[in-house]
Amino acid sequence: MTRSSTLLAATFLAALPILSAQAGAPDTLSVGIPLEPPGLDPTAGAASAIREVTLANIYQGLTRIDAAGTVIPDLAKSWTVSPDGLTYNFALQSGVTFHDGTVFDCSIVKFSYGRAAAPDSINAQKELFEPIAKVDCPSPLAAVITLKRPTSTFLYGMAWGDAVMVAPNSAGGNKAHPIGTGPFTFSRWVPGDRIELVRNPHYWGPAPKLSGVTFRVIADPAAATAALLSGALDAYPDFPAPETVDKFRHDSRFTVDIGTTEGKVILALNNARKPFNDVRVRRALAYAIDRKALIDATYSGLGTPIGSHYTPQDPSYIDLSKTYPYDPAKAKQLLSEAGVGPGLTMTIILPPPSYAQRGGELIAAYLQQVGINAKLESVEWPKWLSQVFTQSAFDATVIEHDEAHDLDIYARPKYYFNYDSPAYKAFYAQYIAATDAATQADLLQKMQRQLATDEPNVFLFAFPKIGIWNAHLRGLWSNAPMPMNDVTGVSWAP
């Protein structure tokens, strides 16, 4: 380097802080996510990864869930409910258009819910729409929804990603090119790498402060750590490497925010297959696993043991985590009573997330101690969704159910783990029809106890939300009352 070029470089470097200060705070965001969504239409797929990118950012429903887990207005600005709980009158927001210019009005509500409930619907939560008897449109900005029976969870269900509004002309293409009414529009999807959104200049509500958001798919815990440390990522709201959290806690460049989720990590069992159709076997598996040690080993202690399909942040939660304390001798006794001798072989299918991979290995070791030979089979998400979720072709799997308040899945005629309890279904039917809070609370606890008694799956732990992001970022959610990354209120501090 010549002396003149050295002086030029020195001058340039000296000017950098000034240029940076003049440029001000950034207005884009790079967010890490652990899994690539299989598509971008939350009304046509069960994967939470779809909602983590699209819900609230691209798509909106009549109602939505806020950071506290409360149902609030969205495309419906208000509503009233008839005294008998059967008729919902929604007043719709005015001036709303989809990203392609299609006008949002009551006809869209009628189309969206009719499509979701149709016989050929592939909506993963089709049961949410079954109570709807009809949708009437007395005017373009008024929707009257009549239910077949009182459904206490109706407004909550309509806030799920499965219930977002979609337009007739674009619904078929939403899987690859999503078109919603939200504050961000789809820009680009680079498979295996990133999904890019940009600010919607025609948004009907307050404009987001970010001009663009990039969701980067980085599943590997070490790579996620490196991406944050290098600045390649601004935030990782659901960080997959709990063992490195302390590193960030001691780095002033970052905010570490440990929150809660609706995630229930379970060892799901196929109740339709022998020997898992025997409650003694299911209880034996529950006794065989030390939940606390499992959490310590797989998630650095950042989780809460559970004993039923409900999380501590849910209403009317009761702690049933001591129902089956770690007791290998009791497990062996129950297996013997069920006629299951040492040497039983079962397969545990493991999806990609680290909680499943790490948890599966430890669970197999625990089961080995009580005479069960557990083979581990790692699969990618498409195969898990097809083989386990759709076909129920499995013995067991380690999975996180992150849908909120989803006790309904145990009352469905058929769900992938094939639990079938008339007693539970009766409790759920009473709960869904109840209109007073005290009755609902009582039934919520009865359902939790019934699940703990029947142990259709081995309930392991409530999943933590490990949020790590640039210390100058504001507005990211601490908790996850719904599986979503709502970045509509995110900004950079000046």
Side-chain angles (χ1 to χ4, degrees), residues 77 88 102 126 138 212 310 382:
K77 62 181 179 182
Y88 288 70
T102 301
K126 190 175 177 179
Y310 225 42

Side-chain angles (χ1 to χ4, degrees), residues 4 17 44 49 97 102 133 177 254 260 290 345 352 366 377 382 406 414 465 476:
S4 59
T97 59
T102 301
H177 192 106
F254 299 97
T260 60
D290 185 337
T345 297
Y366 277 124
E377 180 183 347
D406 57 341
K414 183 172 177 57
K465 184 177 185 299
L476 285 161

Side-chain angles (χ1 to χ4, degrees), residues 295-360:
I295 296 168
D296 289 344
T298 61
Y299 244 72
S300 300
L302 298 173
T304 304
I306 55 174
S308 189
H309 196 91
Y310 225 42
T311 63
Q313 67 179 357
D314 283 328
S316 303
Y317 168 81
I318 47 177
D319 185 358
L320 297 168
S321 61
K322 302 294 194 299
T323 305
Y324 303 103
Y326 178 52
D327 189 341
K330 183 69 175 178
K332 291 179 180 177
Q333 176 192 333
L334 284 170
L335 289 171
S336 177
E337 291 174 5
V340 176
L344 167 69
T345 297
M346 61 184 285
T347 299
I348 303 177
I349 296 178
L350 303 177
S354 58
Y355 71 80
Q357 295 291 323
R358 298 172 181 177

Side-chain angles (χ1 to χ4, degrees), residues 17 30 70 84 89 94 134 153 166 173 211 278 314 324 359 364 398 460 494:
S30 179
T70 305
D84 61 6
N89 286 277
S94 61
K134 62 177 181 176
T153 58
V166 295
S211 65
D278 189 323
D314 283 328
Y324 303 103
V398 179
L460 298 173

